[in-house]
Amino acid sequence: MDYFAGIEAGGTKFSCIIANGPESIIAEATFPTTVPEQTLPQITEYIKQKVTMNGIRLTAAGLSCFGPVDLNPDSPTYGYITTTPKLKWRNYPILKYLQDNLDVPMKFETDVNGAALGEGTWGAAQGLSDYVYITVGTGIGGGIIHDHRPLYGMTHPEIGHMKIQPHPDDHFPGNCPYHTTCLEGLANAPALTARWKVDPATLPDDHPAWDFEAYYLGQAIHNLILVCSPKRIILGGGVLKRRGLIEKVRTESIRILNGYIETSYLDDIDHYIVPPALGDRAGALGAIALLTA
Amino acid sequence: MDYFAGIEAGGTKFSCIIANGPESIIAEATFPTTVPEQTLPQITEYIKQKVTMNGIRLTAAGLSCFGPVDLNPDSPTYGYITTTPKLKWRNYPILKYLQDNLDVPMKFETDVNGAALGEGTWGAAQGLSDYVYITVGTGIGGGIIHDHRPLYGMTHPEIGHMKIQPHPDDHFPGNCPYHTTCLEGLANAPALTARWKVDPATLPDDHPAWDFEAYYLGQAIHNLILVCSPKRIILGGGVLKRRGLIEKVRTESIRILNGYIETSYLDDIDHYIVPPALGDRAGALGAIALLTA
């Protein structure tokens, strides 16, 4: 039988699923993101082994990849990770490595566009034309779907690096090597660790860390609403697993917007800012959604 | 002969042009934005008088209007100005007034979408699929054109109200009644007046006022690039008439992006951030572009 492989290349781990959709998963695994020479052979060996073991045929593979990446098929560096702060992966031809080793047709997207399309195909944004998927983890990124397709202009969006205002009581200087105090530099998981000098998992649910986090994500959502006006915002990633955080982000977003935008969508904020429905599988299933669209 | 009327309803003044394009203007005038009961009859009387005087036929009219406005034709408040800080115009059915009094078919857009389409049809963005038009005056707004059409989702964008970081040496508290220190609250013309306690026209070209202004507009352009990735940014409005300001904004935008986005567009920043080609006529001609598209 014919199957697809979906690979999500993330800043912390790679996820891989062999399936035709969320109801037909025959294998899935994750591998830590170390260096290309270690992580990528683990992925391709895993896929080839599972294909053989299950007696299936692999017809295509999708890759949704952390970025920035070059998505322009006419570019000599198409399929490369480009100016990432992860130095071992900078200017790395990830698509070529996987295509050479899996030997099937492949499609390529940003990790967040892949996850966004997965959520649109099978998850929290089914039926919507315009929505945003945001993930908050080692990095912060977002996929913007406009008129059912990933928004793409000069290049793909990189919403994690938008400038927002530091909280007046936050003395953490920001950790983005490019922008210091952009959203990612203030609110990614390493910023939580560096600001509070503990593993953020050990912070209680009522720690001010989560108020700061909501303050930053609320501003980012405010800016996204004012720039691209999505009909829903899916807010995922490891940091959003914290109990109560999405509720704080909803409250902060409404507080910051302060009534300036009046729509029925915002009147129902619990269904406007929502968690992913595909959970940790959004990225890898999204890479499969690229192939089934 | 058949002509169109283009009306730009702006925060400071209304501009009106009777033409079929920039090469065929037969009448144009501006009127101060006071209250609807005064400004709107001036516009409709002017148009009717010019139509009669010139022996022409008016076939349609376009209105590009300051906002927020209700652009949803299915809404009971379609064609209304909604939550504007200009209280006399709040919840005002401007389209209905003009349609009732001009008695021709009309099209309706935001002021900035109108100007953006004008620049795309006849001006600084001809041939481009994805670009942004920003105007900096009494208010700050922007029209985002994606795939040749105004970007529209839950509602229209309101980029002037995005949150950005105040300059560390700026002690002006911001003047936006909704968001205090959003882009508009920090960088519109009234903020310049309030911060420096003089008419900004009297400030010399090398006054720090213009460094602050570039700091704010550079951040806004950074955020726009990271969210919607336009292929060109047209930067207009009264404040941008200041000599040397657009050059400062180009420098600040590149400084803030700090090499994170690498594209040939940004390598040629003088042709990436550009002034409007239609000058003060962009808005009213854009209202005509709505009719000729």
Side-chain angles (χ1 to χ4, degrees), chain A residues 33-134:
Chain A
T33 304
T34 59
V35 297
E37 296 71 23
Q38 183 177 46
T39 305
L40 297 181
Q42 287 178 331
I43 295 282
T44 54
E45 286 314 306
Y46 173 80
I47 293 172
K48 286 190 277 194
Q49 189 186 49
K50 290 293 172 187
V51 165
T52 305
M53 273 174 57
N54 289 280
I56 60 170
R57 197 169 74 104
L58 191 71
T59 49
L63 171 62
S64 50
C65 186
F66 73 88
V69 290
D70 186 342
L71 290 181
N72 177 3
D74 300 328
S75 162
T77 54
Y78 173 65
Y80 280 53
I81 298 170
T82 60
T83 54
T84 173
K86 299 179 80 70
L87 298 180
K88 293 286 187 183
W89 295 84
R90 191 176 287 183
N91 298 319
Y92 188 83
I94 184 168
L95 181 64
K96 179 173 162 39
Y97 180 93
L98 293 170
Q99 201 146 29
D100 287 353
N101 284 275
L102 293 174
D103 200 25
V104 290
M106 287 194 67
K107 287 206 177 176
F108 182 51
E109 255 300 349
T110 65
D111 49 358
V112 285
N113 280 344
L117 289 170
E119 291 289 340
T121 306
W122 296 301
Q126 288 180 63
L128 287 180
S129 54
D130 299 88
Y131 59 95
V132 173
Y133 172 91
I134 307 173

Side-chain angles (χ1 to χ4, degrees), chain B residues 20-239:
Chain B
N20 293 319
E23 307 300 327
S24 66
I25 293 170
I26 65 160
E28 61 182 318
T30 63
F31 302 90
T33 305
T34 58
V35 296
E37 295 71 23
Q38 182 177 45
T39 305
L40 297 181
Q42 286 177 330
I43 295 282
T44 53
E45 286 313 306
Y46 174 79
I47 293 172
K48 287 191 275 194
Q49 187 186 51
K50 289 294 171 186
V51 165
T52 305
M53 272 174 56
N54 288 278
I56 61 172
R57 195 170 76 104
L58 192 71
T59 51
L63 171 62
S64 48
C65 186
F66 72 89
V69 290
D70 185 342
L71 291 182
N72 176 3
D74 300 328
S75 162
T77 55
Y78 172 65
Y80 280 53
I81 298 171
T82 60
T83 54
T84 174
K86 299 178 80 70
L87 298 180
K88 293 286 186 183
W89 295 84
R90 190 176 286 182
N91 298 320
Y92 188 83
I94 184 168
L95 180 65
K96 180 174 163 38
Y97 179 93
L98 292 171
Q99 202 145 30
D100 286 351
N101 284 275
L102 293 175
D103 200 23
V104 290
M106 287 195 66
K107 288 206 177 177
F108 182 52
E109 256 299 349
T110 65
D111 49 357
V112 284
N113 279 345
L117 290 170
E119 291 289 340
T121 306
W122 296 300
Q126 288 180 62
L128 287 179
S129 54
D130 300 88
Y131 59 94
V132 173
Y133 172 91
I134 307 173
T135 180
V136 185
T138 305
I140 299 182
I144 298 174
I145 306 299
H146 176 61
D147 208 5
H148 299 285
R149 288 179 302 164
L151 188 146
Y152 191 90
M154 174 172 71
T155 180
H156 58 81
E158 281 285 342
I159 67 171
H161 292 265
M162 73 169 81
K163 284 286 204 178
I164 52 165
Q165 296 180 0
H167 190 289
D169 298 330
D170 185 4
H171 305 297
F172 179 64
N175 67 15
C176 174
Y178 289 91
H179 314 114
T180 317
T181 56
C182 63
L183 172 64
E184 181 167 299
L186 289 167
N188 65 357
L192 279 162
T193 304
R195 179 183 292 115
W196 303 104
K197 304 196 170 48
V198 292
D199 177 350
T202 67
L203 295 169
D205 290 346
D206 61 356
H207 192 278
W210 311 116
D211 299 322
F212 282 19
E213 195 70 12
Y215 182 85
Y216 296 135
L217 293 171
Q219 281 188 71
I221 287 173
H222 168 92
N223 282 358
L224 285 166
I225 288 172
L226 295 176
V227 176
C228 64
S229 203
K231 294 176 179 172
R232 190 168 294 160
I233 291 174
I234 302 169
L235 189 55
V239 171

